[in-house]
Amino acid sequence: MTAYDHMLAPLDLGFTTLKNRIVMGSMHTGLEDRFWNYGKLAAYFGERAKGGTAMMITGGIAMNKQGWLLPLAGTMSSYADIINHRRVTSAVHEHDGKILMQILHAGRYAYHPFSVSASSVKSPINPFKPKEMSEKTILQTIEDYAHTARLAQLAGYDGVEIMGSEGYLLNQFTCARVNQRKDNWGGPVENRMRFPVEIVRAVRRACGPNFIICYRQSLIDLVPGGNTWEDIVTIAKALEAAGITILNTGIGWHEARVPTIATQVPRAAFRSVTARMKKELKVPVMASNRINTPEVCEDIVSSGDADLISMARPLLADPEFVNKTASGKPEAINTCIACNQGCLDLTFQAKRATCLVNPRAGYETELVYLKTRKAKKIAVVGGGMAGLTAATIAADRGHDVTLFESASDIGGQFNMAANVPGKEEFLETIRYYRNEVQRTGVKVKLNTQVSHDTLTSYDEVVIATGVKPRIPKFPGYDHPKVLRYPQVLRGEVNVGLRVAVIGSGGIGVDTCAYLLEEHNQSVEHWAKYWGVDFNVTENGLAAPERRHAQREITMLQRKPGQKKMGAGPGKTTGWAHKILLNQFGVKMLAECEYLKVDDLGLHIRVGDNETRILDVDHVILCAGQESVTDLIPRDKEGKITDKRYHVIGGAKLAGELDARRAIREGAELAARL
Ligand code: NAP
Ligand code: SF4
């Protein structure tokens, strides 16, 4: 008996058995959309099957052109499409895993002018107004779903997942928010659910009894005009009667005002709705959203809240998640920190998804760590993300690596980030590297300032010395009222009640969150302020409780564009940061000129207007960073003069500093040293 017995137990589906309870949920990687990328897609899924995952679900594949999310999205509509998919299914079956193909119709989320939906109601997050589907189109689409599922079966898939949540087409049909039809496909819930129910029946007819049909149903819509719990249960029961094998949990529409997967969402926040649904059905029910550690998986399964756990991003972050758990080494897992910066932020820019903490995700055939034939003596200077990645991968490849860090601990900027409420997950990455350093045998020298003399005996030198905060030198920049963000985020100073924050980038936003929010990861706390009703009396939304700001904060920037201020850099998370700052009443001022700081406060000019004085206790500088380059031997033109030296991360480029680039650069360098 291990601590993870329930999560690792097999699940009998009646006609086939899953080897454990962990399913890799659907995550669109971008590789699905181009036939020449299917070799890469096969390697991506094959690695996760080898890592012990019982079953995987592909990114969304359309059944016809109207269903495309983006123009030329992956489609399975002809026999010719089977060939590529066979590479994927074979790679998974080779490792005794199972794989489902997700069938996705984007409906009004389609980013092209041929979009269709239940009614011609435009989404607030999409410029294209959909055309209302005629009955003929509905019937044809049902046939297309069945045809695509049959093709998937011929391609070797163990089943399909029918995407019915997150506000996509089938969810648009089931909710009055979009479905305003007066015919047999609209009106009461029995009519609104007719389309997905008929699709399930048609797929079951086409593929026979021993084919897995997983249906992802929205169990809490989180939008006005979403379904009540009563309607959601009615739909789930009808889907069960129509022949689904598994019900997967979907949470919130993409246009919902509540974040559902960002790092500030507490772990397993939505398990209660899954648990409630499990009591209503006989088929296995799968939990989803913000489940990222074996402890949480085990807790959900052992308490009977769900039969299966769906995790997409955590299996991007670590393809060995299940094997590491099964071998009693959960501390070795590279945990998904729910940042979205390497995966969904890229997906929504139509780029290939990867992972901030695992740059090999989606690049399995391109970023390969081979054992070295010639072990070298390597010095890595800097124990932040770039240095840790380079050091541990190089050591794992067989090199003799020493890591020098001037601070008393490894982790660099992540130590500071983890102090920001809602960013506690960053500690998991530090824990992962602590374990990796030990496992790979990297020699760590903390509290050590390195000189060129120290580095002469090494074959290769990696400079990962990171960044220091930029200090704008306006008059009074050294006044006692002026603080630097590391002093604040490390808790070294007592910050007053009236504050000006100079700079509105990611660090400015984090600093505001640090000064306003509390560390509270409870689901109740989160639901209260985001306005979530887990009883789903109406649509899952409740009135958010008013926040009481402990401080009066003004955030400033020099460039114009007040509207976008405070959103930070994340494409899929920035809007939630902005809402948080608004809830706390943070004032935003763009087009500021910083004139001086004195005992009266911060003197500024805004646009072409008169000067103003912000009467504040403290001015916090969050004005970006500069590279720490002291150790890099360069000539007058800036070229590195010693071939043994390699520069990565913030030391290479402070502007656009981000952990994703730092980790990728560390990994790519270590792969070729
Ligand atoms: P940043 O995003 O580049 O923002 C720097 C801010 O300082 C800008 O608002 C800029 O606005 C201002 N600024 C620049 N030069 C200035 C000067 N000389 N005087 C006064 N103001 C100046 O940098 P950051 O906020 O330090 O963040 C660094 C990186 O960390 C980000 O790029 C991000 O990748 C990462 N990060 C990410 C997150 C996240 O949540 N995803 C959170 C924290 C950090 P003006 O030039 O208009 O004044
Ligand atoms: Fe998780 Fe961030 Fe990696 Fe996405 S990029 S899988 S959210 S750690």
Side-chain angles (χ1 to χ4, degrees):
M1 187 95 177
T2 73
Y4 305 103
D5 265 11
H6 296 86
M7 153 194 161
L8 297 170
L11 179 70
D12 185 1
L13 293 178
F15 53 90
T16 188
T17 301
L18 304 184
K19 60 184 177 183
N20 55 57
R21 309 291 176 119
I22 302 301
V23 175
M24 182 174 189
S26 177
M27 155 70 74
H28 201 76
T29 62
L31 295 171
E32 306 82 356
D33 297 336
R34 302 291 172 262
F35 70 86
W36 56 84
N37 281 332
Y38 270 70
K40 292 173 187 161
L41 194 63
Y44 163 83
F45 280 118
E47 208 160 283
R48 279 137 186 99
K50 191 174 170 206
T53 311
M55 186 162 81
M56 277 142 277
I57 305 174
T58 68
I61 303 285
M63 73 306 301
N64 59 33
K65 289 179 187 169
Q66 288 175 334
W68 285 346
L69 186 56
L70 291 168
L72 303 176
T75 314
M76 174 81 104
S77 57
S78 79
Y79 287 90
D81 295 322
I82 291 176
I83 303 161
N84 292 319
H85 286 266
R86 280 220 175 109
R87 300 177 72 178
V88 174
T89 54
S90 304
V92 171
H93 292 152
E94 202 178 303
H95 298 289
D96 194 23
K98 295 198 189 298
I99 183 156
L100 312 185
M101 190 186 86
Q102 189 189 70
I103 311 182
L104 168 81
H105 192 309
R108 69 174 189 162
Y109 282 164
Y111 224 78
H112 54 73
F114 315 110
S115 63
V116 294
S117 186
S119 302
S120 183
V121 182
K122 199 177 94 53
S123 158
I125 57 168
N126 191 310
F128 298 102
K129 190 170 185 186
K131 193 175 160 205
E132 178 170 309
M133 289 170 85
S134 66
E135 177 144 39
K136 193 173 157 210
T137 309
I138 292 174
L139 295 174
Q140 180 59 51
T141 306
I142 295 170
E143 265 185 46
D144 291 347
Y145 266 93
H147 180 56
T148 295
R150 177 67 186 135
L151 292 175
Q153 191 175 32
L154 293 174
Y157 285 102
D158 301 279
V160 289
E161 176 173 84
I162 298 171
M163 180 46 157
S165 66
E166 271 42 33
Y168 289 113
L169 180 73
L170 302 185
N171 211 177
Q172 292 159 26
F173 262 85
T174 52
C175 292
R177 177 173 178 80
V178 181
N179 190 340
Q180 296 168 7
R181 303 176 72 98
K182 304 277 180 262
D183 59 7
N184 286 340
W185 307 91
V189 67
E190 289 71 21
N191 283 359
R192 300 199 308 272
M193 72 188 186
R194 191 184 306 277
F195 186 34
V197 168
E198 290 303 330
I199 287 170
V200 171
R201 282 196 188 125
V203 170
R204 182 54 77 211
R205 271 197 307 273
C207 301
N210 296 343
F211 188 65
I212 300 171
I213 302 179
C214 176
Y215 190 94
R216 188 157 193 205
Q217 189 195 356
S218 182
L219 297 193
I220 178 164
D221 290 308
L222 298 173
V223 283
N227 281 331
T228 61
W229 185 252
E230 216 181 350
D231 284 355
I232 291 165
V233 172
T234 304
I235 297 169
K237 289 191 164 167
L239 291 167
E240 184 177 56
I244 60 168
T245 323
I246 297 167
L247 189 103
N248 188 7
T249 302
I251 304 289
W253 291 39
H254 284 320
E255 63 206 60
R257 63 154 173 80
V258 179
T260 55
I261 55 169
T263 192
Q264 72 265 42
V265 179
R267 289 175 178 174
F270 299 97
R271 66 189 280 181
S272 62
V273 289
T274 310
R276 234 173 127 195
M277 182 54 82
K278 187 169 150 43
K279 293 197 183 91
E280 303 283 351
L281 301 182
K282 290 184 196 72
V283 295
V285 174
M286 183 142 70
S288 172
N289 285 53
R290 281 295 279 127
I291 302 169
N292 65 339
T293 68
E295 290 73 23
V296 180
C297 295
E298 179 64 19
D299 190 42
I300 293 173
V301 181
S302 65
S303 61
D305 284 358
D307 304 284
L308 291 161
I309 303 290
S310 164
M311 294 187 291
R313 297 175 301 165
L315 289 161
L316 244 78
D318 198 332
E320 289 277 329
F321 184 101
V322 177
N323 282 353
K324 286 177 181 174
T325 307
S327 61
K329 292 180 188 142
E331 70 282 2
I333 290 174
N334 195 0
T335 305
C336 165
I337 56 174
C339 64
N340 287 354
Q341 287 174 40
C343 51
L344 292 172
D345 282 355
L346 295 181
T347 305
F348 283 99
Q349 296 170 59
K351 293 182 182 159
R352 192 193 315 181
T354 179
C355 170
L356 180 139
V357 299
N358 173 23
R360 286 197 71 244
Y363 290 81
E364 284 75 10
T365 57
E366 293 147 278
L367 183 55
V368 181
Y369 311 140
L370 297 175
K371 289 287 174 207
T372 183
R373 288 205 204 122
K374 188 173 166 239
K376 293 182 194 171
K377 208 175 153 201
I378 299 177
V380 177
V381 189
M385 288 303 121
L388 284 166
T389 310
T392 51
I393 295 172
D396 203 28
R397 291 188 53 224
H399 293 301
D400 173 10
V401 182
T402 307
L403 178 81
F404 297 96
E405 168 57 52
S406 58
S408 58
D409 198 4
I410 59 167
Q413 306 270 327
F414 266 39
N415 285 308
M416 220 162 47
N419 288 338
V420 176
K423 289 202 166 179
E424 295 80 1
E425 294 282 7
F426 282 66
L427 290 173
E428 298 289 351
T429 307
I430 300 173
R431 181 262 308 144
Y432 165 73
Y433 276 113
R434 235 184 264 294
N435 191 77
E436 280 296 281
V437 159
Q438 278 224 329
R439 185 185 70 78
T440 58
V442 173
K443 287 166 246 165
V444 180
K445 310 259 183 226
L446 298 174
N447 302 307
T448 307
Q449 287 290 349
V450 178
S451 70
H452 282 292
D453 291 346
T454 329
L455 301 172
T456 47
S457 64
Y458 289 90
D459 301 318
E460 308 280 358
V461 177
V462 179
I463 300 292
T465 40
V467 292
K468 58 184 177 198
R470 179 187 290 126
I471 311 296
K473 299 275 169 69
F474 48 75
Y477 78 92
D478 49 358
H479 189 278
K481 278 184 188 285
V482 180
L483 304 175
R484 298 165 189 196
Y485 72 81
Q487 294 174 285
V488 176
L489 294 180
R490 290 195 185 117
E492 294 166 2
V493 283
N494 287 324
V495 181
L497 294 179
R498 294 159 310 158
V499 177
V501 172
I502 289 189
S504 63
I507 300 283
V509 173
D510 277 0
T511 302
C512 291
Y514 176 86
L515 294 173
L516 295 165
E517 257 279 45
E518 55 181 301
H519 281 281
N520 188 334
Q521 285 286 286
S522 80
V523 175
E524 294 70 30
H525 172 86
W526 175 82
K528 187 166 79 174
Y529 291 117
W530 282 98
V532 177
D533 163 30
F534 288 108
N535 290 325
V536 201
T537 316
E538 280 190 40
N539 43 42
L541 291 176
E545 221 166 88
R546 256 182 76 87
R547 304 251 192 187
H548 296 288
Q550 309 157 27
R551 288 191 173 84
E552 202 180 290
I553 300 186
T554 308
M555 184 189 250
L556 309 106
Q557 72 178 27
R558 297 172 305 172
K559 55 185 167 300
Q562 187 151 317
K563 264 192 177 169
K564 290 201 169 159
M565 278 183 77
K571 297 263 174 258
T572 58
T573 49
W575 61 273
H577 294 144
K578 179 102 188 166
I579 290 178
L580 183 83
L581 299 190
N582 286 342
Q583 282 176 340
F584 279 114
V586 173
K587 294 189 199 101
M588 317 258 178
L589 284 179
E591 285 184 81
C592 296
E593 187 186 344
Y594 310 119
L595 302 173
K596 66 174 174 184
V597 176
D598 61 17
D599 292 347
L600 295 176
L602 173 63
H603 299 241
I604 53 170
R605 182 178 292 117
V606 184
D608 294 332
N609 298 333
E610 292 165 32
T611 59
R612 292 191 212 171
I613 303 170
L614 300 183
D615 177 14
V616 292
D617 305 311
H618 285 113
V619 177
I620 305 175
L621 299 178
C622 303
Q625 291 88 14
E626 286 164 3
S627 300
V628 177
T629 56
D630 312 349
L631 280 171
I632 308 172
R634 292 190 200 270
D635 61 17
K636 280 186 194 152
E637 274 125 39
K639 279 199 191 132
I640 298 178
T641 52
D642 187 334
K643 281 191 178 153
R644 297 176 307 134
Y645 278 68
H646 312 270
V647 187
I648 55 172
K652 182 175 174 185
L653 184 66
E656 298 166 35
L657 161 73
D658 67 65
R660 177 161 63 91
R661 182 172 63 76
I663 292 176
R664 172 165 281 276
E665 283 178 5
E668 286 175 346
L669 173 64
R672 58 174 194 269
L673 278 177

